[in-house]
């Protein structure tokens, strides 16, 4: 059986071995890789020795550890890296490489080949050339070109720390001392070189790391290596400062605890030195121990502790209450007053004490310590601010006016004191900037309240001034009415009414004494300037003009000052009838037009505004932040002045004056020998006063606002400029309305003179007797002379008191209304041929007067009127010639039409005799067709 072999089965699947899958399995070995960001963060948390050990793991780790940015970061944390300097050095090295390569390329064409790094390769003769440029040596030696001492090239190190000798070798005392001194100045040897940051950090680490490790590990502060190595306190302070600076780059685990221990060590040292400095300060050992330990603290951390101790114990801070009591400035002369002498004495003592302390600062502290800035800040906060706060609070509680004067005066005195303060020898220009900032901080808490109170104070004062004036006027008016109505017997007035009415109606016009040809105030800018500045006014010569008596106009008292009191005028006897009493009341009101607003009130308000603005303008010197608010507040004060004078005072006065003018009746008065329309004359004086007030405000605006740059007059959107234009517009409108009403009153007076003074025989002589006169008086009539005198006296009152445009408009309106009144008057007269001579004389008189007004347009009307008077001189036998004159429109310059001339011709005394002939010649009436 065993010998039998089985046949092989073909076409089936071959049977695999059990170990076949294992044979086919491939074993792949792999190592885990961490991302570069995680490895970088791990490196940041490692101490420097562990980091260098980590660099030996692999080439990749070495590249990460030796990365230049890692060491640049540490140098930046210590403040030793200057990016600008590094960029400059890199650009200089790149430029030199480029120049060297260009030289090499030129040398290849001329001479032997040059190998790598500028090393010449041997030529066929076996000679070699020198090295042209070594990049490493050039980078390290580039400091010599910048004024630094040349340094030898550093041999390429593996990790940058191999040059640090940590072994204990026997060295001489002098070499140890020299090495310790070099460690004190290790930061000065560090340069900003790209690609060499690790080597630069290695210098610092090798010099300071042992002291840093010992400082954070020692149990007793006195046993620290820094105190055992250095015995001089200033060197100890400098090394502690270096260690503190070096600790800023400690990022390894536990760095908070190490820095706390180091700070404890530095604090203990600083406290010990501060105690020595305080003892020297108490002993007044300025040039000895004070100076020594001030320099120690300055080397440690800038000397802030010493500066703070000196300031707190200085005489100007510790004994500040001896410099002055703020309450002494108040109630010295009277209750609610402020005395600037006391505050000036305080600031003088502060300045003297400060300058004395500055001299000590120059002797004690080194120039590197900024002592003057904290000293000035403490002076402002603890001395000046406390003094002023107490003064301002008490002044504000007692009197607002004293508070305003106190703030303004002390601000100005404080600025003057700041100019007298002496800087230290090392302070420089920043001292004055610091002083300005400190003074600004002193007044900043009080500036807003002061500016608000200043505006409110001016508004209250100006309102009270105007209200008091209005109250006096109302009381005076009430007493005047009571006086005039006191003796009125109503029963007797009823019985005597017809007789009194007839007497009043037939009473001629009330005229006043002759007034000056121009107002003494009109157009006098010098007068307005003197009033604004409070200067004395000299009384004008009495022979030059006669000054009208006005109840509230400025006058000269003894030729020096303005009179603030009204002249005492004897009161007339009270009338006994009601009609006479009412007439007297109206006359009194018309005469009182001149006192409806006062130049004295305006002057008081201007001076009040000037004082407020001058006080507020002091803050313009405190800096731009204060100047903006002060400028805005000064503009508001000026606006309040215009509103008070305009709306409350001048506007109401003009409105009342126009109202009084509208009730004027020329028949309500008594006859005098002189000429003048009383209400119009007084109103023109009121216009003069208003014009003077406007000139005062113009001078005030120019001197106090524009000249001092409190406002911009060229800015048409400026609130002060807009309000000023609004005030001028209001004044022009009120003056125009008053002048219009005054012209109406003047023409009423002219018509009254025509009705009462024009004799019927002036233009028709012999009319009453019926006999023609052979002898005729050639010359103007008395009525014409009187009218010319009245009109000219009133028009001349405005000359010089207002601008030319308004004067031309006024003269134009007066002339046109006079022309209309003459035409109406002429149409009511009967003119004979003999009376035409006097009519022509009157028209020539009117024409001559109009010529003085220098208005050519107006003159044409009176030329036409003069030509019109010629139609009455034509004899009745020349009716045809008369008709020709009437129909000639060009003869009258187009002023009168033929129909109007015909109406004037109807006023001829012989008109009914020549009417048919004139009409036949003009219109062909009475002609028949043949």
């Amino acid at each position: 059986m065993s010998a039998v072999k089985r046949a092989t089965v073909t076409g089936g699947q071959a049977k695999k071995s059990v170990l076949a899958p294992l044979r086919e399995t491939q074993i792949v070995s792999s190592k885990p890789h961490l991302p570069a960001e995680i490895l970088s963060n791990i490196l940041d948390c490692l101490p420097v020795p562990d980091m260098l050990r980590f660099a030996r793991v692999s080439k990749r780790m070495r590249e990460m550890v030796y990365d230049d940015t890692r060491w640049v970061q540490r140098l930046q944390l210590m403040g030793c890296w200057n990016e600008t300097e590094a960029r400059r050095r890199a650009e200089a090295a790149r430029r030199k490489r480029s120049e060297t390569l260009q030289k090499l390329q030129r040398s290849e064409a001329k001479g032997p080949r040059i190998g790598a790094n500028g090393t010449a390769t041997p030529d066929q003769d076996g000679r070699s050339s020198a090295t042209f440029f070594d990049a490493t040596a050039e980078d390290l030696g580039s400091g010599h070109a910048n004024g630094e001492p040349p340094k030898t090239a550093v041999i390429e190190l593996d990790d940058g720390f191999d040059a640090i000798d940590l072994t204990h070798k026997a060295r001489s005392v002098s070499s140890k001392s020299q090495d310790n001194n070099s460690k004190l100045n290790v930061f000065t040897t560090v340069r900003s070189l790209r690609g060499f940051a690790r080597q630069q950090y290695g210098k610092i680490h090798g010099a300071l790391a042992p002291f840093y490790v010992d400082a954070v590990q020692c149990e007793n502060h006195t046993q620290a290596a820094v105190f055992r190595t250095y015995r001089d306190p200033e060197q100890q302070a400098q090394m502690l400062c270096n260690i503190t600076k070096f600790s800023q780059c400690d990022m390894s685990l536990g760095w908070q605890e190490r820095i706390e221990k180091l700070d404890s060590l530095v604090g203990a040292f600083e406290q010990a030195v501060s105690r020595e400095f305080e003892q020297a300060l108490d002993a007044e050992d300025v040039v000895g121990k004070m100076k020594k330990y001030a320099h120690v603290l300055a080397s440690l951390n800038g000397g802030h502790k010493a500066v703070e101790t000196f300031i707190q114990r200085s005489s100007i801070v510790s004994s500040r209450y001896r410099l002055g009591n703020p309450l002494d400035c108040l109630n010295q002369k009277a209750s609610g007053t402020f005395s600037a002498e006391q505050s000036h004495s305080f600031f003088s003592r502060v300045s003297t004490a400060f300058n004395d302390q500055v001299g000590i600062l120059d002797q004690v502290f080194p120039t590197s310590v900024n002592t003057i800035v904290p000293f000035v800040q403490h002076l402002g906060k603890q001395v000046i601010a406390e003094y002023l706060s107490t003064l301002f609070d008490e002044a504000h509680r007692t009197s607002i006016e004293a508070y305003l004067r106190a703030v303004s005066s002390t601000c100005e005195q404080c600025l003057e004191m700041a100019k007298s303060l002496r800087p230290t020898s090392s302070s420089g220009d920043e001292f004055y900037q610091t002083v300005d900032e400190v003074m600004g901080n002193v007044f900043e808490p009080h500036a807003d309240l002061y500016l608000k109170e200043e505006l409110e104070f001016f508004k209250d004062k100006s309102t009270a001034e105007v209200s008091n004036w209005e109250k006096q006027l109302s009381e005076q008016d009430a007493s005047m009415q009571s006086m005039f109505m006191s003796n009125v017997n109503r029963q007797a007035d009823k019985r005597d009414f017809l007789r009194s009415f007839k007497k009043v109606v037939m009473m001629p016009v009330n005229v006043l004494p002759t007034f000056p040809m121009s107002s003494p105030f009109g157009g006098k800018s010098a007068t307005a300037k003197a009033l604004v500045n409070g200067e004395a006014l000299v009384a004008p010569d009495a022979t030059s003009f006669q000054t009208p008596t006005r109840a509230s106009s400025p006058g000269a008292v003894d030729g020096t000052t303005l009179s603030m009191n009204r002249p005492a005028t004897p009161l007339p006897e009270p009338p006994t009838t009601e009609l006479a009493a009412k007439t007297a009341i109206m006359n009194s009101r018309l005469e009182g037009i001149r006192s409806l607003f006062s130049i004295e009130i305006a002057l008081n308000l201007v001076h009040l505004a000037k004082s407020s603005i001058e006080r507020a303008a002091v803050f313009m010197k405190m800096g731009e932040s204060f100047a903006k608010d002060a400028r805005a507040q000064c503009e508001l004060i000026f606006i309040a002045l215009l509103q008070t004078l305009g709306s409350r005072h001048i506007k109401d006065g003009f409105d009342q004056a126009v109202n009084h003018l509208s009730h004027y009746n020329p028949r309500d008065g008594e006859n005098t020998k002189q000429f003048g329309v009383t209400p119009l004359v007084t109103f023109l004086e009121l216009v003069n006063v208003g014009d003077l007030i406007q000139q005062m405000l113009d001078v005030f605006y120019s001197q106090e606002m524009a000249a001092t740059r409190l406002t911009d007059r060229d800015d048409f959107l400026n609130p002060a400029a807009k309000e000023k234009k609004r005030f001028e517009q209001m004044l022009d409108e009120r003056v125009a309305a008053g002048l219009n009403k005054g012209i109406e009153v003047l023409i009423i007076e002219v018509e009254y003179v025509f009705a009462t003074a024009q004799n019927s025989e002036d233009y028709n002589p012999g009319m009453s007797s019926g006999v023609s006169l052979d002898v005729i008086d050639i010359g103007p009539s008395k009525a014409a002379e009187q009218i010319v005198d009245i009109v000219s006296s009133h028009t001349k009152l405005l000359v010089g008191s207002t601008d030319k445009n308004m004067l031309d408009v006024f003269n134009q309106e007066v002339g046109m209304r006079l022309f209309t009144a003459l035409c109406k008057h002429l149409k009511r007269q009967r003119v004979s041929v003999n009376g035409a001579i006097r009519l022509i004389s009157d028209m020539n008189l009117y024409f001559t007067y109009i010529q003085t007004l220098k208005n050519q347009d107006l003159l044409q009307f009176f030329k036409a009127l003069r030509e019109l008077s010629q139609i009455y001189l034509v004899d009745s036998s020349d009716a045809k010639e008369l008709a020709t004159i009437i129909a000639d429109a060009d003869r009258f310059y187009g002023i009168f039409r033929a129909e109007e001339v015909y109406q004037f011709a109807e006023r001829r005394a012989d008109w009914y005799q020549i009417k048919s002939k004139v009409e036949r010649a003009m219109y062909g009436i009475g002609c028949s067709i043949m």
Side-chain angles (χ1 to χ4, degrees), residues 84-374:
T84 304
E85 179 186 356
R87 185 181 299 109
R88 179 178 54 80
R89 291 177 182 274
E91 291 176 355
R94 189 181 303 108
R95 184 171 56 255
K96 290 182 179 180
R97 288 194 189 96
S98 177
E99 294 174 356
T100 303
L101 290 176
Q102 292 178 1
K103 292 179 180 179
L104 292 176
Q105 291 175 358
R106 289 193 298 267
S107 300
E108 286 180 354
K110 297 179 180 180
R113 293 178 298 171
I114 299 177
N117 200 21
T119 305
T121 57
D123 52 14
Q124 296 178 354
D125 298 334
R127 293 174 299 177
S128 61
S129 60
T131 300
F132 284 92
F133 173 72
D134 189 355
T136 303
E138 190 67 29
D139 283 339
L140 293 176
S142 60
H144 180 62
N146 300 319
E148 300 178 2
K151 299 184 179 181
T152 59
V154 180
I155 302 175
E156 180 66 24
L157 303 177
D158 292 339
D159 52 13
F161 296 88
D162 295 342
I164 301 176
D165 188 6
L166 301 179
T167 60
H168 298 282
K169 298 181 180 180
R171 290 183 294 178
S172 63
V173 177
S174 60
S175 62
K176 288 184 179 180
S177 177
Q178 185 177 3
D179 184 49
N180 291 334
N181 292 334
S182 63
K183 292 178 181 179
L184 293 176
N185 302 319
V186 65
F187 284 107
T188 60
T189 63
V190 178
R191 291 180 296 166
S192 301
L193 285 173
R194 290 180 179 177
F196 296 90
R198 178 169 52 87
Q199 287 82 349
Q200 299 300 319
Y201 177 81
K203 299 178 185 179
I204 302 174
H205 187 275
L208 302 180
F211 293 102
Y212 175 65
V213 173
D214 180 77
V216 298
Q217 291 180 354
C218 67
E219 298 295 335
N220 190 354
H221 294 161
T222 58
Q223 299 300 322
V226 62
F227 299 129
R228 289 184 281 105
T229 305
Y230 301 99
R231 293 300 180 181
D232 183 36
E234 189 168 356
Q235 292 182 344
Q236 294 173 352
Q238 187 174 356
M239 179 53 69
L240 288 176
C241 179
N242 292 342
I243 296 174
T244 304
K245 192 175 181 180
F246 175 75
S247 66
Q248 301 299 317
C249 68
D250 187 2
M251 299 180 292
S252 61
L253 187 64
W255 62 271
Q256 295 93 340
E257 292 80 4
R258 289 191 293 273
I259 290 180
E260 288 179 0
K261 291 182 179 180
L262 179 62
D263 292 341
S264 176
L265 175 63
V266 174
F269 178 79
E270 182 181 18
Q271 187 176 3
V273 176
S274 299
R275 284 196 300 268
E276 295 294 333
F277 180 80
E278 292 177 4
Q279 294 176 1
L281 181 61
D282 295 337
E284 298 182 356
D285 187 5
V286 176
V287 296
K289 291 185 177 181
M290 278 186 63
K291 181 177 181 180
K292 175 182 177 181
Y293 291 111
H295 282 68
V296 171
L297 292 174
S299 300
L300 180 64
N301 52 13
H304 305 297
K305 183 69 173 179
V307 174
E308 185 70 21
T309 302
F310 178 83
I311 293 174
Q312 293 297 335
R313 295 202 175 192
S314 62
S315 59
I316 192 173
V317 176
S318 60
S319 304
R320 57 184 177 273
Y321 299 107
R322 299 179 182 178
L323 298 174
N325 187 1
L327 300 182
D328 293 341
C329 300
L330 302 176
N331 305 328
Q332 288 291 327
K333 300 178 181 179
S335 178
T337 59
F338 169 75
S339 176
E341 291 80 6
Q342 297 294 329
S343 60
H344 183 270
S345 300
F346 166 77
F347 285 112
S348 298
R349 288 190 286 268
V350 169
S351 176
T352 303
F354 178 86
N355 292 335
D356 294 341
Q357 296 299 312
V358 167
I360 299 176
L361 288 176
D362 282 334
Q363 296 178 2
V364 172
F365 291 93
T367 57
S368 60
V369 180
N370 188 4
T371 58
I372 197 65
V373 172

Side-chain angles (χ1 to χ4, degrees), residues 639-655:
I639 291 173
L641 170 65
L642 295 178
Q643 292 176 348
T644 304
L645 274 179
S647 302
R648 288 291 308 276
H649 196 53
I650 297 178
K651 181 179 178 182
D652 292 343
F654 272 115
D655 291 343

Side-chain angles (χ1 to χ4, degrees), residues 582-609:
K582 291 183 177 180
T583 302
I585 291 173
M586 180 56 63
N587 290 334
S588 177
R589 288 179 176 176
L590 291 175
E591 293 177 359
I593 287 179
R594 64 172 64 93
S595 62
L596 290 178
F597 57 82
S598 169
I599 186 67
E600 288 85 0
I601 296 297
L603 188 59
N604 291 340
L605 295 184
V606 167
H607 285 169
L608 186 62

Side-chain angles (χ1 to χ4, degrees), residues 388-460:
L388 294 180
S389 296
T390 305
L391 172 62
F392 295 161
D393 293 342
E394 183 64 21
H396 189 272
R397 186 184 63 83
T398 56
S399 172
I400 295 297
E401 185 175 1
Y403 167 76
L404 299 178
R405 293 180 178 177
V407 174
S408 179
S409 299
T410 53
C411 181
E412 193 167 5
Q413 292 172 357
C414 195
L415 293 175
E416 292 296 329
M417 180 206 69
K419 297 178 181 179
S420 64
L421 298 182
R422 184 169 66 90
T424 58
S425 57
S426 60
S427 57
D429 295 337
E430 67 175 359
F431 168 74
Y432 300 100
Q433 182 179 356
T434 302
V435 171
D436 293 339
E437 292 177 357
V438 169
M439 298 309 164
N441 295 333
V442 169
F443 283 91
E444 184 177 5
H446 310 283
D448 293 338
L449 178 61
Y450 163 75
L451 294 175
K452 179 182 177 182
E453 292 290 351
E454 189 71 73
L455 179 60
E456 295 297 328
F457 173 77
F458 173 75
K459 288 183 177 179
D460 295 341

